[in-house]
Amino acid sequence: MAPQSTIIITGGTGSLGSTLARTLETSYPGRFHLLLTCRNTDDEHAKSISEFLKSKNGTFSLEKLDLSDLDSVKKFAEEVKERIGRGELPPLVGGGIVNSAAYQTFFKGRKVKGTKAKDVMYTVNVLAPMALMRGLMPVMLEGSMVVNVGSAAYAIGKVDYFEGKEEVGFKEGEKVGFMEGMKRYGSTKLLTLMAGYAFQRKLFAAYPENKLHIFNLDPGSMNAGGRLLGGERHWVFPLLYGILGITGPVLRLVDKSAINPPSVPAKAIADLFTESKGTSVGVWTTGKFFVLDDVKKSSTLSLNEGKQDEVWKNLSRDLGLDESLKI
């Protein structure tokens, strides 16, 4: 049977992205066309997931996408729409997007080439997912989902971090401490969460009967250590993962998101696409926030609609897009 829907997974060869692909194909064989994006379609990780999906007779494509190149992201979205229109790809209705790729660096001032002062982590973690969501919106309104993979670090993030206030006085490539680096990373996750909330509200205002639903899902700590883009792991991480790996079983008794293999958040994401989770009845006016498979209330700051609109305005500016969602 031909796949019914397409699910786009950015970071498709990463720890979580590839595990999600395995979970979807194993648990729901033939149901989805899995479009996995990555920077390198020829490395060992790409070969591994390709071989697995081929062994399952899965329908998939592994496609190169550089999330630090916004023109490339916008072009990719246009090409996907055209391929769906020509019948070359199953629709995104019933499927959607999982923004799984993430970039982390402990160096300030790293810019994206060819742009005006765009921080690379801000571009990959915030602008690229938003460009993909907005670019593909017209073919998702009838019933698709976007899952933005978040992080508990959003709680220490700042809404205006990348507006220049925190960057003053730092030279390009200057290394920062662990907590400052986590605040920078957490700020990207906070911005994506708030942009998702704003997106959902504005969708409802522009298209009251739309069925596009936006989730933010905190996968918790993963004992695989993850493979964030950038490859610049702080020395704290190996120590932290070592401790969490030993204490994981005890910590999970208190908090099930404390430390898990990637298969745990992968199943939580797969369930969003295969179970109702309240998405089939009524119209959403705001997005939902999950910690694994539990609906949670995110921080007071993230739920502030005035601040959400401020984030939406800034992101629209940086993407060169109109704030309106009318097609």
Side-chain angles (χ1 to χ4, degrees), residues 234-276:
H234 196 280
W235 65 266
V236 170
F237 284 108
L239 177 63
L240 181 61
Y241 286 131
I243 295 172
L244 290 175
I246 296 171
T247 60
V250 175
L251 290 173
R252 279 194 293 274
L253 295 176
V254 180
D255 180 1
K256 68 180 183 181
S257 69
I259 182 71
N260 289 290
S263 57
V264 174
K267 182 181 184 304
I269 296 171
D271 287 348
L272 291 177
F273 285 96
T274 55
E275 298 178 4
S276 67

Side-chain angles (χ1 to χ4, degrees), residues 40-258:
N40 188 345
T41 57
D42 296 317
D43 68 12
E44 60 179 304
H45 306 294
K47 292 175 181 176
S48 175
I49 186 59
S50 293
E51 289 172 0
F52 176 85
L53 293 173
K54 287 176 182 176
S55 74
K56 295 292 184 180
N57 296 315
T59 304
F60 73 100
S61 54
L62 194 61
E63 305 187 17
K64 187 172 183 178
L65 180 62
D66 182 358
L67 296 175
S68 70
D69 183 345
L70 293 178
D71 289 336
S72 175
V73 175
K74 293 175 182 178
K75 181 180 178 182
F76 174 82
E78 289 301 315
E79 290 175 348
V80 167
K81 285 191 295 186
E82 291 173 4
R83 289 159 64 186
I84 290 173
R86 293 193 298 263
E88 296 174 7
L89 274 179
L92 288 173
V93 174
I97 306 169
V98 179
N99 286 310
S100 175
Y103 185 100
Q104 187 173 36
T105 179
F106 286 84
F107 294 87
K108 280 199 174 187
R110 293 202 168 172
K111 308 299 182 185
V112 176
K113 293 180 180 179
T115 66
K116 294 182 179 179
K118 294 288 195 309
D119 181 272
V120 66
M121 189 161 65
Y122 171 66
T123 300
V124 172
N125 293 357
V126 185
L127 296 181
M130 187 57 56
L132 197 57
M133 292 159 63
R134 293 197 57 174
L136 291 170
M137 183 192 76
V139 292
M140 295 197 294
L141 291 174
E142 295 303 313
S144 301
M145 293 199 313
V146 174
V147 181
N148 293 318
V149 176
S151 168
Y154 91 94
I156 61 172
K158 297 186 65 175
V159 171
D160 59 357
Y161 197 104
F162 296 96
E163 289 300 302
K165 298 179 180 63
E166 298 288 340
E167 302 286 82
V168 174
F170 281 88
K171 298 178 181 178
E172 182 171 354
E174 183 174 349
K175 193 169 184 178
V176 299
F178 178 74
M179 287 308 300
E180 183 68 15
M182 290 305 297
K183 184 192 293 184
R184 297 183 82 245
Y185 180 71
S187 295
T188 68
K189 293 302 182 179
L190 173 64
L191 291 170
T192 300
L193 170 61
M194 296 177 72
Y197 286 149
F199 199 164
Q200 193 77 75
R201 286 194 293 107
K202 294 176 187 299
L203 275 173
F204 176 73
Y207 307 97
E209 300 303 319
N210 86 85
K211 297 177 182 177
L212 169 55
H213 296 141
I214 301 172
F215 298 88
N216 196 89
L217 186 141
D218 175 2
S221 299
M222 290 185 284
N223 60 9
R227 285 194 293 105
L228 295 175
L229 302 177
E232 298 158 346
R233 306 315 303 274
H234 196 280
W235 65 266
V236 170
F237 284 108
L239 177 63
L240 181 61
Y241 286 131
I243 295 172
L244 290 175
I246 296 171
T247 60
V250 175
L251 290 173
R252 279 194 293 274
L253 295 176
V254 180
D255 180 1
K256 68 180 183 181
S257 69

